[in-house]
Amino acid sequence: MSQKIALVTGGTGGLGTSICRELADAGFRVVAGYNSGGNHDKAKAWQEEQKKDGYDIQVAYGDVTNAESCAQCIATVEELTGGTVDILVNNAGITRDGQFKKMSWEQWDEVLTANLDSMFHMTRLVINGMVDKGWGRVINISSVNAQKGQFGQCNYSAAKAGIHGFTKALAQEVARKGVTVNTVSPGYIKTAMVAKIAQEIQDQICAGIPVGRFGTPEEIGRMCSFLCDEQASGYITGADMSVNGGLHMS
Ligand code: CAA
């Protein structure tokens, strides 16, 4: 059986790196999608770092806010691997936090475009191939703040909640075709995105997490690889997998 191909958007970032590595450990051929503001050297340097740690992960440029760029990204993946995408992890995302009363249209639009429109652009390009093959995995990275809301994140909470609606609808459309579609909702994970929050606020948030700590990127990566596991995952679809240390229990 040929090696299945996984594409992780935002693959060179905090969560993305762990997701790529866990999927590689699980035996998949992994390509990290990256934007990095068009900084190709940064992506190449990331790739070299992975190589030093024994990971052979390829990189493909793609701006997930732009349909044409996404199509180019998929074409690059196909060129690099000689196959089509079996596993898509829609992980790329941004924050532009601020209270709603002060939020600009730009803050709203940038977050909705990067976090939600990206689901359409990337998934639309690979879903028919998965259906034709009779196997596929789509994993959409949302957030605990979609489930519970968060002060200062009207834009992000809205986009991330939209992701789960998308997951549930698409899961129904492809359920009989061997394709599962799930959401993973991380809590506060030790990444650069969380490090940007003022220390005092981080401390307040951490104090409210029953497990008593922020999560690790590896804990999210492992959940993604579980959702791709042949033995375990065929019957999990349309689900929202919470990995949040108990911060929100639904
Ligand atoms: N609930 C109610 N009121 C709150 C509050 C809360 N949780 N947090 C702050 N406030 C109040 C303060 O008490 C203060 O009130 P007063 O003006 O009456 O004193 C006021 O809000 C603070 O207002 P500021 O104008 O000073 O705040 P700001 O607009 O500069 O900053 C903020 C707001 C940037 C959103 C800041 O609160 C913040 O960083 N919050 C954390 C946001 C967050 O959790 N982001 C997650 C990023 S990581 C991520 O998104 C990954 C993931 O999926 C989990």
Side-chain angles (χ1 to χ4, degrees):
M1 205 169 60
S2 67
Q3 207 180 11
K4 288 196 164 72
I5 297 162
L7 170 63
V8 180
T9 69
T12 63
L15 289 186
T17 300
S18 281
I19 297 169
C20 286
R21 286 176 172 230
E22 291 286 346
L23 291 177
D25 285 341
F28 299 112
R29 181 156 183 193
V30 182
V31 182
Y34 72 92
N35 178 6
S36 304
N39 187 340
H40 306 293
D41 291 341
K42 195 172 160 199
K44 288 282 170 203
W46 177 89
Q47 189 178 19
E48 287 308 311
E49 282 299 309
Q50 306 315 306
K51 221 169 253 168
K52 278 187 208 149
D53 291 343
Y55 288 94
D56 182 17
I57 299 172
Q58 280 154 314
V59 291
Y61 173 76
D63 174 355
V64 296
T65 68
N66 179 294
E68 273 173 35
S69 185
C70 289
Q72 192 52 54
C73 178
I74 296 298
T76 306
V77 174
E78 292 179 357
E79 215 170 278
L80 287 169
T81 62
T84 59
V85 173
D86 301 287
I87 297 167
L88 172 67
V89 184
N90 281 310
N91 164 67
I94 60 167
T95 54
R96 296 285 182 268
D97 292 355
Q99 291 185 64
F100 187 66
K101 65 181 182 186
K102 295 190 276 186
M103 187 173 285
S104 67
W105 168 252
E106 285 71 27
Q107 276 174 292
W108 174 269
D109 191 45
E110 280 179 38
V111 168
L112 268 288
T113 305
N115 295 359
L116 190 56
D117 291 359
S118 57
M119 298 286 139
F120 176 85
H121 296 316
M122 292 305 298
T123 314
R124 186 70 185 77
L125 289 162
V126 300
I127 197 73
N128 289 350
M130 292 179 185
V131 165
D132 289 347
K133 281 195 262 185
W135 196 94
R137 295 286 179 268
V138 179
I139 300 173
N140 300 320
I141 305 298
S142 179
S143 166
V144 66
N145 291 342
Q147 299 165 325
K148 72 170 189 57
Q150 171 62 24
F151 186 100
Q153 287 203 306
C154 285
N155 49 2
Y156 187 83
S157 296
K160 291 293 193 179
I163 287 176
H164 192 51
F166 169 69
T167 291
K168 289 188 286 186
L170 183 60
Q172 292 179 36
E173 293 185 16
V174 296
R176 288 174 188 238
K177 308 291 181 188
V179 180
T180 67
V181 187
N182 291 290
T183 301
V184 173
S185 288
Y188 284 77
I189 309 297
K190 276 187 206 151
T191 61
M193 190 182 262
V194 168
K196 275 197 303 193
I197 305 170
Q199 189 58 49
E200 190 191 323
I201 296 175
Q202 281 191 47
D203 294 344
Q204 276 168 23
I205 292 168
C206 198
I209 300 173
V211 166
R213 63 170 175 85
F214 289 158
T216 66
E218 291 72 23
E219 287 167 323
I220 304 305
R222 187 56 68 91
M223 173 56 84
C224 293
S225 75
F226 171 75
L227 288 172
C228 299
D229 185 280
E230 288 281 359
Q231 308 302 320
S233 66
Y235 208 57
I236 303 173
T237 198
D240 186 3
M241 313 299 276
S242 296
V243 188
N244 64 29
L247 178 58
H248 180 75
M249 302 180 186
S250 53

